Amino acid sequence: MFRLRRYRYYVFFAAIVVFLLYRVARNSEQWETVAASFPHVVPPPNSKPPPISESEAKSHVNAPLKGISSQDDELPQRILDNPPKDNYPVKIPTLSDSKNTKQTDGNNDKHIDIGLAPNTDGSSQQAGVLAYDHDGATKVTTPPVINVPDKAVGQGVKDAGNLADKVIHWKKTPENFPVPEADIIPLPTGKPKKLPTIQYAFEKESPEKREKREARQQKVKAEMERSWAGYWTYAKGHDELSPVTKKFRDPFCGWAATLVDSLDTLWIMGMEEEFKEALVEVEKIDFTVAKRPEIPVFETTIRYLGGFLAAYDVSGGKSGGFDILLQKAIELAEILMGAFDTPNRMPVLYYNWKPGFASQPRRAGTSASVAELGSLAMEFTRLAQITKENKYYDAVARITDAFYEWQERGTSLSGIFPEQIDASGCNRTAQSELEAAVNSADAAMYDKTDGDSNQSTGTMMDDELDVGSELRRKGQHAGSDDTDSHMVKRSVKSSALNLNVARKKNPITGKVELVAGEATLPECVSQGLTPGGWGMEQYSMGGSQDSTYEYFPKQWLLLGGLEPKYKELHLKVSEAVKKWLLYRPMVPDDRDILFTGKIVTSGEPEADATLQYEVTHLTCFIGGMFGLGGKIFEVPADVEIGQKLTEGCVWAYESTATGIMPEGAHVLACRDAKNCHWDETRYGQALDPSYKTRDQSVDEYYERKKKEKAQAKAKAALEQEKEKARAKAALEQEEDDLEDQEDQEPKHGLSSSKNIAGRPKNSDFDQEQLDDSQPDDDDDFGLRKRGPISDAGTQAEDASEKSRIVKNKKVKNTAVESEDMEDSDPAPGFKNSKSNQVPLQEDEDRFEDDPLRPLTHKEYVADRIKNEHLPKGIVDVNSKAYILRPEAIESVWYMYRITGDKKWQDKGWKMFEAIVRHTATEAGNSAIDNVLATKPTHLNEMESFWPAETLKYFYLLYSEPNKISLDDWVLNTEAHPFKRPKTPFGA
């Protein structure tokens, strides 16, 4: 026993040793892998570190390591508290042309320049960055120290402080598909046109109305202050606050999404101290490092790039003095521009920013969403206007041209686009056919020339082909007179030779050479935008499509009406929406409201299109879009449609238990939009898809139950007959036994030792006990009491008693066998039941309590409404949550500013009170799980658009009309206001 126990300890310790060895080996591999990702140049023997001043050295020692957070559980705290003192300064990455990218070695430390442009405004000639104090003054702060260790095989990591240097940074690389300078699309030139007035001409308000409005505005601001304080306290520097647990999340890239998204809101609400404090955090953001391997281009553009530019505009622009905002916008834009480096210049919407991937050629996706592709225009256009750099406008103008060309070419629903788009620019069907033909031609050519190709060229090896001569043999033009016959290595098995050949200028020799395609991209048959994905095409104004349509009229405003394409795009979209998607729902109070649905088609909408009557929160932006478009393009009917669309979303808010609209639901459309009244029967039928057969099923159930009952009764009657027959047979048998017994007994005297009942005489037998155990004559069991035969009895008495027993035997048996089973004390509500009864109920039909009974149509409808808490008019709710979305209040704000009707302020206030009542937490506001429940659960998420959009629209609804006037500003899809130009572009 002792030996076994000792071995068990040996095994345990051996396992620990093996595990530790495994971890050591893994850690060594990880350090080697990370170190290998950095280029290593052995420094010259006499190299010295660059000189630095004493003050700089002291500041470097005390500077925190960039990119390292105290949240990192794997980082020893000593690294944060005691950084190495022998580090040498390294310049903060600056955007610059790739030609200037350099590495400077010094004592095993490296200066790393990853391509960020140097500051040219003279405010900071050193590696410092601008930081704004509470007084608005600027100061130069010292950059963090980055120490890149030697990569010494077998030596491991020399200093744990070098952890910060293992982070991979983005760096600018040469474009694979650059746009020639002469082909860059410039901003429209000329003075912006005089456009129609958008805002209502508000009259001066009375003191009472002003007091009411300002009181509401202050309550909105108080909500913003509470949410901002929660974010600043518990999530500063991170993307989002978790308002229930008071922690943070980084669903984007960890670039402080809520902070950047809220900058213009802080300024608009007069929270200037918080604004300046936030700028100190802004300067810390390093866009060359992300917590995600891929940058979501759409979300990053509308939240970050839009946030910086709007904050720059509302804070005074160039004269405001907050240059850090524009600087950060440019830094981010330079990184995002890499996403446009594709053959057709359509962006990669999830951009892998790491140099190893970013430097490789790639194409745009084959299943891009309309919204993500088309909602980059305003941000890059505004950046181009401020910086006067046409390359930013060129990037998005090409996307607009692609949409415009597709709209002209025609989609299945003329005017609007399917939800998923193939933006790759490759016609794969045509390409497959072409490659098949080329393969066949190549095979024939190789069969013909095999064996003498080396002799014909004199220089070609087995795996080399002269591209020029090869093309000439096939009858194709190989190049002009100044083209050299360039030797291109390729496998003889490849079939892409003729498809991949292109003429390119060698940057070293300056000569034009024939190059066999790209490193990883096969040649393709080009095409424009087409439907992407698989299966049916979907068309709607909802998620994945919304903001592209929103941007058409807004981009027209931002460009001062100088680009007519955006007007044409919008007008065709609005006509398509009115023809295909617009519908009026049937609601209890017959309100004249509108929604837009979703069309699903295989590509032949006239034959197979189905319209889903959906109601989604994301689609609520469309009221504002129709109102804005109707004003600037002078279509009054569209303004009216916009009001009805906005009323529809207000109704959706008012209908639920919380007073908040769900993320997604479905309603029942009116048969006639001009004459629509509530129809309870039709609504019930919409709730019950099986209404035609449900009552029939119930009838069939009753018929089946009646048949089963009749069969049970018949079976019970048969069993009774059988029981009677058995009883009769038993009686006859007993009579025969008695007769036999009578024949065997003496006819005279009392010589028998037994009485008539067959019980032996025994003086010890307690007769009184027998008497007490037998029921009386009138007992419920009907048994007659019989005493023992007296010794003095006569033969006549004996015979008489026997005769009485025989005559009454049948009565006794039936009483014992049937009446003995009768309930002496039946349960309440039941009669005395017999053993041969099938149901334990009364005789009448009672199936209502049967849990297996199918519901009637009326019962089914009532059950659905009760269990699902369905508001009347809503058929189903496929997404019950509310995540603090702004789209409904956005359209309410547009309607107020456009029409001047103060009813929109009252409607908005009810929405605000309901939202705050159900979403407020101690540290902010949280998304909720179910707007149909009176007490929904907090989901512990506060999206950055809560302070950026939702609270901003509520605040502006109760601001003076000239605050962010629609005649001076245009807001992007994240509610970031851009200044509308008044002077000629380029001036």
Side-chain angles (χ1 to χ4, degrees):
M1 177 63 70
F2 177 79
R3 181 178 302 174
L4 178 61
R5 189 177 305 163
R6 183 175 58 189
Y7 289 157
R8 193 161 50 190
Y9 285 122
Y10 290 161
V11 172
F12 175 76
F13 285 115
I16 293 178
V17 171
V18 171
F19 175 77
L20 293 176
L21 290 174
Y22 169 77
R23 293 299 300 173
V24 170
R26 287 296 303 272
N27 289 339
S28 298
E29 293 174 4
Q30 292 174 0
W31 282 114
E32 289 300 314
T33 302
V34 173
S37 64
F38 290 87
H40 176 71
V41 179
V42 179
N46 298 324
S47 61
K48 297 182 179 180
I52 59 174
S53 66
E54 181 179 354
S55 60
E56 287 177 331
K58 291 181 179 179
S59 64
H60 291 319
V61 170
N62 297 323
L65 293 178
K66 189 169 186 179
I68 300 180
S69 168
S70 60
Q71 312 292 339
D72 191 345
D73 295 332
E74 298 180 0
L75 181 66
Q77 186 63 33
R78 66 180 180 82
I79 301 176
L80 295 174
D81 299 334
N82 302 300
K85 296 185 177 182
D86 57 348
N87 288 335
Y88 296 107
V90 179
K91 293 182 180 180
I92 287 182
T94 56
L95 277 178
S96 63
D97 190 85
S98 59
K99 296 179 182 178
N100 298 327
T101 302
K102 62 182 180 180
Q103 294 181 348
T104 304
D105 298 1
N107 196 21
N108 298 335
D109 288 331
K110 302 177 182 178
H111 289 285
I112 302 176
D113 187 347
I114 59 173
L116 291 177
N119 189 356
T120 58
D121 59 4
S123 60
S124 177
Q125 298 299 327
Q126 304 299 322
V129 291
L130 294 177
Y132 289 83
D133 57 23
H134 294 287
D135 299 325
T138 63
K139 60 183 179 180
V140 177
T141 60
T142 306
V145 176
I146 302 178
N147 179 28
V148 181
D150 287 335
K151 176 181 179 296
V153 178
Q155 296 183 13
V157 182
K158 293 183 177 180
D159 193 334
N162 296 330
L163 277 171
D165 306 314
K166 303 305 178 182
V167 178
I168 299 176
H169 288 261
W170 171 89
K171 65 179 180 180
K172 191 175 183 66
T173 58
E175 286 193 327
N176 292 285
F177 309 98
V179 177
E181 188 70 25
D183 294 339
I184 291 179
I185 301 174
L187 284 163
T189 57
K191 184 178 181 180
K193 295 182 178 180
K194 181 176 177 56
L195 305 180
T197 300
I198 301 173
Q199 286 210 162
Y200 178 79
F202 289 90
E203 299 176 355
K204 186 177 180 179
E205 61 185 343
S206 65
E208 295 79 9
K209 291 182 178 180
R210 179 178 180 178
E211 182 180 0
K212 180 180 179 180
R213 174 183 59 78
E214 290 182 345
R216 290 176 172 179
Q217 185 187 54
Q218 288 306 308
K219 288 184 178 180
V220 176
K221 182 178 179 180
E223 203 66 23
M224 173 64 187
E225 290 173 336
R226 192 169 58 82
S227 294
W228 178 256
Y231 169 79
W232 192 257
T233 303
Y234 303 108
K236 179 173 62 176
H238 293 275
D239 286 342
E240 292 177 0
L241 168 70
S242 297
V244 177
T245 58
K246 298 179 182 178
K247 295 184 179 180
F248 57 79
R249 302 189 312 139
D250 287 308
F252 299 106
C253 292
W255 295 332
T258 297
L259 188 146
V260 177
D261 227 359
S262 303
L263 289 172
D264 54 355
T265 303
L266 294 173
W267 185 272
I268 290 170
M269 291 189 181
M271 300 170 65
E272 294 187 16
E273 288 299 316
E274 290 85 350
F275 177 84
K276 293 175 182 178
E277 288 177 346
L279 292 183
V280 177
E281 293 299 316
V282 164
E283 62 185 290
K284 298 177 183 177
I285 300 174
D286 183 1
F287 290 118
T288 67
V289 180
K291 292 187 177 181
R292 290 180 53 161
E294 295 178 331
I295 299 174
V297 175
F298 163 70
E299 295 287 356
T300 302
T301 299
I302 65 172
R303 299 185 194 226
Y304 291 93
L305 186 56
F308 285 133
L309 294 173
Y312 181 78
D313 273 350
V314 299
S315 63
K318 188 175 182 179
S319 62
F322 302 107
D323 297 335
I324 187 69
L325 295 167
L326 182 58
Q327 177 186 329
K328 286 296 182 179
I330 294 173
E331 287 180 10
L332 177 59
E334 286 298 314
I335 295 174
L336 295 177
M337 284 294 289
F340 295 86
D341 183 21
T342 63
N344 62 350
R345 303 302 293 182
M346 296 297 106
V348 176
L349 296 174
Y350 291 85
Y351 176 53
N352 197 321
W353 54 271
K354 295 182 180 180
F357 295 95
S359 61
Q360 299 301 312
R362 57 204 172 277
R363 298 189 190 279
T366 59
S367 189
S369 75
V370 172
E372 290 183 312
L373 184 62
S375 303
L376 312 174
M378 292 184 66
E379 296 77 13
F380 279 91
T381 295
R382 184 58 186 149
L383 182 61
Q385 291 174 342
I386 296 173
T387 63
K388 298 180 175 57
E389 287 283 351
N390 283 323
K391 65 177 181 179
Y392 299 127
Y393 179 72
D394 172 88
V396 293
R398 292 176 184 275
I399 300 175
T400 300
D401 290 346
F403 275 113
Y404 184 81
E405 185 274 334
W406 194 10
Q407 194 182 64
E408 291 293 307
R409 178 168 25 106
T411 61
S412 296
L413 263 62
S414 181
I416 53 180
F417 311 102
E419 181 177 318
Q420 298 297 319
I421 299 177
D422 182 352
S424 66
C426 288
N427 188 327
R428 301 187 184 281
T429 301
Q431 180 63 25
S432 298
E433 295 174 354
L434 183 58
E435 286 181 354
V438 171
N439 285 338
S440 177
D442 282 352
M445 184 270 294
Y446 288 138
D447 289 342
K448 181 177 180 181
T449 60
D450 188 24
D452 59 357
S453 60
N454 289 342
Q455 297 177 2
S456 63
T457 63
T459 59
M460 297 176 66
M461 303 299 293
D462 290 341
D463 60 346
E464 294 179 342
L465 291 176
D466 186 323
V467 175
S469 61
E470 191 66 35
L471 292 178
R472 283 191 291 273
R473 275 202 296 269
K474 301 188 72 173
Q476 298 184 11
H477 180 64
S480 57
D481 293 339
D482 61 344
T483 302
D484 292 340
S485 179
H486 180 63
M487 303 300 298
V488 182
K489 289 203 174 236
R490 62 181 286 273
S491 171
V492 177
K493 296 181 180 179
S494 173
S495 62
L497 173 65
N498 300 317
L499 300 175
N500 249 351
V501 174
R503 288 188 301 145
K504 292 185 178 180
K505 186 176 182 180
N506 189 318
I508 299 176
T509 64
K511 297 181 178 180
V512 177
E513 300 175 343
L514 293 175
V515 181
E518 305 105 6
T520 59
L521 294 182
E523 189 67 30
C524 73
V525 176
S526 63
Q527 66 176 9
L529 300 178
T530 60
W534 302 93
M536 306 289 279
E537 299 175 14
Q538 298 185 12
Y539 297 79
S540 78
M541 293 290 111
S544 298
Q545 304 177 65
D546 47 2
S547 48
T548 288
Y549 303 118
E550 173 190 354
Y551 272 24
F552 290 156
K554 291 182 175 182
Q555 183 76 345
W556 189 78
L557 285 173
L558 188 59
L559 291 171
L562 297 176
E563 178 49 81
K565 289 180 181 178
Y566 292 103
K567 179 178 180 179
E568 295 180 42
L569 284 164
H570 171 78
L571 292 178
K572 290 182 179 179
V573 166
S574 64
E575 289 303 314
V577 169
K578 288 182 278 189
K579 177 181 178 181
W580 292 102
L581 304 180
L582 209 61
Y583 72 91
R584 178 182 176 182
M586 186 183 74
V587 294
D589 56 358
D590 297 342
R591 290 168 72 170
D592 189 6
I593 59 178
L594 295 174
F595 288 110
T596 58
K598 175 188 289 185
I599 286 283
V600 180
T601 177
S602 64
E604 299 291 337
E606 299 290 351
D608 65 1
T610 58
L611 178 58
Q612 299 175 3
Y613 302 108
E614 65 177 13
V615 174
T616 67
H617 204 292
L618 278 169
T619 314
C620 285
F621 85 96
I622 197 171
M625 186 194 83
F626 262 83
L628 180 67
K631 290 293 290 186
I632 62 178
F633 299 130
E634 300 178 304
V635 185
D638 283 3
V639 177
E640 183 179 354
I641 289 174
Q643 292 190 65
K644 293 182 178 181
L645 287 165
T646 306
E647 286 280 11
C649 293
V650 171
W651 169 84
Y653 266 78
E654 296 173 350
S655 299
T656 67
T658 57
I660 304 174
M661 180 181 180
E663 283 291 301
H666 290 89
V667 293
L668 183 63
C670 298
R671 289 194 174 100
D672 185 353
K674 296 181 180 180
N675 184 22
C676 184
H677 301 285
W678 177 253
D679 186 341
E680 189 77 30
T681 300
R682 186 162 172 256
Y683 176 65
Q685 292 173 351
L687 289 175
D688 182 10
S690 302
Y691 73 92
K692 292 182 179 180
T693 60
R694 191 171 298 281
D695 288 340
Q696 180 182 349
S697 299
V698 175
D699 293 339
E700 292 174 353
Y701 166 82
Y702 280 118
E703 289 297 326
R704 185 172 64 254
K705 283 296 183 181
K706 288 179 180 179
K707 289 180 180 180
E708 291 175 357
K709 183 177 181 180
Q711 292 174 357
K713 286 183 177 180
K715 183 177 181 181
L718 181 60
E719 289 295 330
Q720 286 182 347
E721 291 299 326
K722 292 181 179 180
E723 186 64 27
K724 289 179 181 180
R726 288 193 295 269
K728 182 177 179 181
L731 178 60
E732 292 175 351
Q733 180 65 40
E734 188 170 352
E735 289 177 350
D736 293 343
D737 292 343
L738 288 173
E739 290 177 359
D740 293 341
Q741 182 180 357
E742 184 179 347
D743 292 341
Q744 294 175 4
E745 290 179 353
K747 295 182 180 180
H748 302 284
L750 300 174
S751 60
S752 175
S753 64
K754 297 182 180 180
N755 60 21
I756 295 177
R759 185 183 302 278
K761 287 185 177 181
N762 191 334
S763 59
D764 296 333
F765 184 79
D766 189 350
Q767 183 61 42
E768 292 181 359
Q769 181 179 356
L770 175 64
D771 294 341
D772 293 339
S773 66
Q774 299 297 328
D776 296 331
D777 290 343
D778 56 350
D779 188 81
D780 287 343
F781 288 94
L783 297 178
R784 299 175 66 88
K785 185 172 68 174
R786 294 177 295 164
I789 298 176
S790 175
D791 291 346
T794 61
Q795 185 179 11
E797 292 174 345
D798 184 37
S800 176
E801 182 66 16
K802 289 180 179 181
S803 176
R804 183 184 61 78
I805 292 173
V806 171
K807 290 180 180 179
N808 291 288
K809 190 68 177 179
K810 183 175 181 179
V811 177
K812 183 193 74 172
N813 288 339
T814 57
V816 172
E817 295 177 4
S818 63
E819 294 181 7
D820 187 55
M821 299 303 294
E822 184 177 352
D823 292 337
S824 61
D825 188 14
F830 290 88
K831 295 180 179 180
N832 290 341
S833 60
K834 308 292 183 177
S835 62
N836 56 12
Q837 288 181 324
V838 176
L840 296 177
Q841 299 171 317
E842 296 183 353
D843 291 339
E844 62 268 18
D845 296 335
R846 291 179 58 187
F847 305 122
E848 286 77 7
D849 297 332
D850 183 4
L852 299 179
R853 179 181 68 83
L855 299 177
T856 63
H857 167 64
K858 185 177 180 180
E859 292 171 334
Y860 178 85
V861 171
D863 189 65
R864 272 203 65 189
I865 293 175
K866 177 182 178 181
N867 293 335
E868 300 178 27
H869 306 286
L870 287 177
K872 218 162 194 179
I874 294 180
V875 175
D876 68 68
V877 181
N878 56 311
S879 181
K880 301 176 183 178
Y882 171 69
I883 61 173
L884 308 175
R885 285 202 186 276
E887 291 78 17
I889 191 60
E890 172 186 348
S891 286
V892 168
W893 176 70
Y894 272 99
M895 288 302 106
Y896 171 66
R897 289 294 184 90
I898 290 172
T899 66
D901 194 335
K902 293 189 179 297
K903 73 175 183 180
W904 297 109
Q905 289 183 318
D906 296 332
K907 293 176 186 292
W909 188 245
K910 290 181 180 179
M911 295 164 61
F912 176 78
E913 289 186 315
I915 291 171
V916 172
R917 181 165 57 251
H918 293 286
T919 67
T921 68
E922 183 180 351
N925 294 79
S926 171
I928 55 177
D929 68 332
N930 188 357
V931 299
L932 305 181
T934 55
K935 294 182 179 180
T937 301
H938 289 146
L939 297 178
N940 198 30
E941 295 178 2
M942 191 177 85
E943 294 268 4
S944 72
F945 51 64
W946 166 248
E949 296 186 73
T950 310
L951 289 177
K952 183 186 297 171
Y953 281 125
F954 275 120
Y955 185 84
L956 291 175
L957 182 61
Y958 305 109
S959 299
E960 294 183 354
N962 61 354
K963 190 79 167 181
I964 310 297
S965 169
L966 289 172
D967 293 318
D968 299 321
W969 300 84
V970 56
L971 284 71
N972 83 336
T973 192
E974 194 74 5
H976 293 309
F978 298 155
K979 191 73 174 176
R980 285 174 53 182
K982 302 296 183 182
T983 58
F985 295 113

